[in-house]
Amino acid sequence: MMDKTITFHDHNPRIESLQEAVIKGLSKEFKSIAPKYFYDERGSQLFAEICEQPEYYPPYIERTILSGSVDEILYLTGTERITFEPGAGEATKIRLLLDALKPSAYLPMDISCEYLKQAAAEIVDEFPWLPVHAVCVDFTHSIPIPNTAPEGNRLAFFPGSSIGNFTPNEALNFLSMVRSTIGQGGMLLIGVDTKKEPAILHAAYNDAAGVTAKFNLNLIHRIRNETGVDCDPENFEHQAFYNADLGRVEMHLISRCEQTLHLNGHRFQLHEGETLHTENSYKYSPDEFIRLAERAGLQPIRHWLDDEKLFAVYLLQA
Ligand SMILES: C[S@@+](CC[C@H](N)C(=O)[O-])C[C@H]1O[C@@H](n2cnc3c(N)ncnc32)[C@H](O)[C@@H]1O
């Protein structure tokens, strides 16, 4: 019987509260709120459900690419790297790599703390030889790695095309932060959605079962329950479309009627048809993404695409 190692570190990602984000976001001329606020426990569950929808192709294709490339990845990275995963969620994809890459430790990181704890506990049950240190953190603020973890021997894993939720400038800053976290010789394995036929993207973000719509609308439930804003989810509608000029899928919540919301003495007027912008998902061709990575000081080692070029996985080195 092996000793299991699991620790939990709370970096209190709630510092920038939902209430502050709502006041800031609703005060803007074009109302918006960052996608990280989707992820309370219910939001994380709904995201896991989205990943099972037939139209939402990225998880299936990314898993297929990872499983098919694991030997090559192993050859290029070697074993026993300290491996950390910002925004790990259910930590499903790392499972495809653990037996081969044999990290010396795995650090899943997420803003959704309860969900993270469950995911970490399941990983430790499945891989009892692996020390797991779960870190509850907002990865836009920091990526805390213990100083004792040797630089150059670190591997960052960032699947799910979460990089697409940043604007290209924010993505550059995030990649630069990852670069300085992994240190010279450190590596990043990252999944990035490609540019493609808009109809495929439209279907992916408007699944027939309406799960993405529920995920988007859960933000209104969350705002109502956690901040006391008098918003009614029935008064909002999910919208997602591909903005070809900016190369991104946009998600919005559209106000179905003229409405006034109140929070701590603030009044917010929403006109019928006005939108609350909740998420961007930028798509990158391999050339575009490699240029971005290089600007952040990350050199491309190899990348893999599926036959239809719907999704890409890149191995980069600092
Ligand atoms: C799109 S999901 C991807 C999950 C997983 N990496 C995958 O590929 O299936 C994004 C994950 O990142 C987490 N997340 C989003 N914004 C975050 C932030 N700023 N800091 C930490 N975690 C964040 C969410 O809670 C969620 O688990």
Side-chain angles (χ1 to χ4, degrees):
M1 183 77 180
M2 250 176 271
D3 281 346
K4 295 179 188 172
T5 306
I6 181 164
T7 62
F8 182 72
H9 309 264
D10 192 348
H11 287 255
N12 196 7
R14 292 160 294 268
I15 288 167
E16 188 187 31
S17 74
L18 179 61
Q19 180 159 314
E20 284 163 338
V22 169
I23 293 173
K24 227 195 286 172
L26 293 185
S27 306
K28 291 181 187 165
E29 185 187 355
F30 299 105
K31 297 179 173 50
S32 68
I33 186 154
K36 64 185 173 189
Y37 295 102
F38 281 137
Y39 297 96
D40 61 353
E41 207 173 346
R42 173 83 181 130
S44 297
Q45 284 160 357
L46 284 166
F47 181 75
E49 245 182 84
I50 290 176
C51 290
E52 286 164 14
Q53 300 312 303
E55 302 92 334
Y56 194 66
Y57 60 86
Y60 169 73
I61 297 187
E62 189 176 29
R63 281 199 302 268
T64 308
I65 296 175
L66 288 170
S67 321
S69 316
V70 67
D71 290 344
E72 260 180 293
I73 296 171
L74 168 63
Y75 175 74
L76 295 165
T77 63
T79 54
E80 296 192 15
R81 286 180 178 264
I82 289 236
T83 299
F84 61 95
E85 181 177 357
E90 284 196 300
T92 49
K93 293 162 192 162
I94 193 71
R95 287 170 160 85
L96 304 169
L97 305 174
L98 289 174
D99 280 330
L101 303 193
K102 300 228 165 11
S104 51
Y106 170 58
L107 287 73
M109 302 176 170
D110 210 285
I111 203 164
S112 188
C113 298
E114 290 312 309
Y115 209 70
L116 172 72
K117 277 187 194 165
Q118 280 172 34
E122 282 166 24
I123 289 273
V124 143
D125 281 344
E126 245 174 89
F127 302 89
W129 51 268
L130 177 67
V132 175
H133 306 284
V135 187
C136 188
V137 70
D138 180 340
F139 61 57
T140 59
H141 293 168
S142 70
I143 303 179
I145 298 287
N147 291 335
T148 47
E151 285 197 5
N153 199 30
R154 301 175 179 182
L155 173 70
F157 183 48
F158 198 48
S161 205
S162 293
I163 194 75
N165 296 147
F166 293 121
T167 64
N169 257 338
E170 290 166 347
L172 180 63
N173 291 339
F174 178 77
L175 291 173
S176 303
M177 177 163 76
V178 170
R179 192 234 162 274
S180 66
T181 307
I182 55 183
Q184 195 67 28
M187 288 181 156
L188 166 64
L189 185 65
I190 180 168
V192 185
D193 203 3
T194 57
K195 288 209 160 85
K196 57 183 64 69
E197 185 61 41
I200 300 176
L201 293 168
H202 183 87
Y205 290 82
N206 293 281
D207 60 275
V211 184
T212 309
K214 263 195 225 163
F215 172 74
N216 199 5
L217 283 160
N218 180 56
L219 184 63
I220 302 293
H221 288 273
R222 188 175 179 200
I223 291 173
R224 185 178 63 181
N225 298 342
E226 289 184 33
T227 70
V229 175
D230 46 352
C231 48
D232 181 351
E234 290 292 315
N235 290 340
F236 291 89
E237 191 176 316
H238 164 75
Q239 187 190 51
F241 60 90
Y242 183 60
N243 179 334
D245 290 340
L246 296 174
R248 68 189 193 193
V249 170
E250 294 184 14
M251 271 200 341
H252 295 260
L253 286 163
I254 312 283
S255 177
R256 288 181 190 266
C257 55
E258 200 70 26
Q259 48 181 321
T260 309
L261 308 180
H262 302 87
L263 176 61
N264 277 359
H266 297 268
R267 277 176 91 252
F268 305 105
Q269 190 71 31
L270 273 95
H271 302 298
E272 185 177 348
E274 192 174 346
T275 89
L276 172 61
H277 189 167
T278 51
E279 188 180 76
N280 289 318
S281 185
Y282 281 83
K283 310 299 171 190
Y284 292 93
S285 68
D287 283 353
E288 287 171 332
F289 186 71
I290 287 171
R291 266 201 306 276
L292 184 72
E294 284 175 336
R295 283 175 61 205
L298 294 162
Q299 300 311 314
I301 303 289
R302 251 222 81 164
H303 68 275
W304 300 265
L305 287 143
D306 59 299
D307 291 346
E308 292 175 73
K309 302 189 172 20
L310 293 176
F311 201 89
V313 173
Y314 300 80
L315 183 66
L316 307 161
Q317 187 161 33

